[in-house]
Amino acid sequence: MMRIDVHDMETYKSYVAADAIAIAKYEGWFVVRGGRHEGVHGAARSRNVLVAFKDLKTALACYHSPEYQAALAFRSKAAVAEVIAIVGV
């Protein structure tokens, strides 16, 4: 799960294009990508993204992959974010 505040949308668009390569390679799929939301308790970010993978090991492999790290270079310039890997049901 990522909670994101984007401050440079043009550079962020490069991140979105690049992260799609890593996510596809590791067979991830988007559950939530942006979308309307309302913070009801605590601090909220302007954008939320939830990507699902078959398991935690695959999610972490994707994050640490050279493909995602290349994408991360764009996001680091364009946004502030928290990223959490979670085992779900």
Side-chain angles (χ1 to χ4, degrees):
M1 164 116 194
M2 288 187 282
R3 298 172 55 234
I4 307 163
D5 280 332
V6 178
H7 55 78
D8 178 351
M9 188 51 77
E10 288 307 308
T11 301
Y12 189 78
K13 288 177 185 177
S14 296
Y15 163 73
V16 169
D19 88 326
I21 295 167
I23 291 168
K25 178 179 177 179
Y26 289 88
E27 301 178 345
W29 64 96
F30 289 94
V31 177
V32 174
R33 193 173 196 181
R36 194 171 66 111
H37 67 280
E38 182 175 333
V40 294
H41 181 81
R45 296 267 186 200
S46 60
R47 185 171 176 82
N48 299 286
V49 178
L50 178 59
V51 181
F53 294 91
K54 68 179 180 177
D55 54 31
L56 182 61
K57 180 180 176 181
T58 304
L60 294 173
C62 180
Y63 182 84
H64 293 292
S65 71
E67 295 86 359
Y68 189 79
Q69 292 302 303
L72 185 56
F74 291 114
R75 195 189 77 213
S76 296
K77 293 176 186 174
V80 175
E82 293 90 33
V83 178
I84 304 166
I86 307 168
V87 175
V89 293

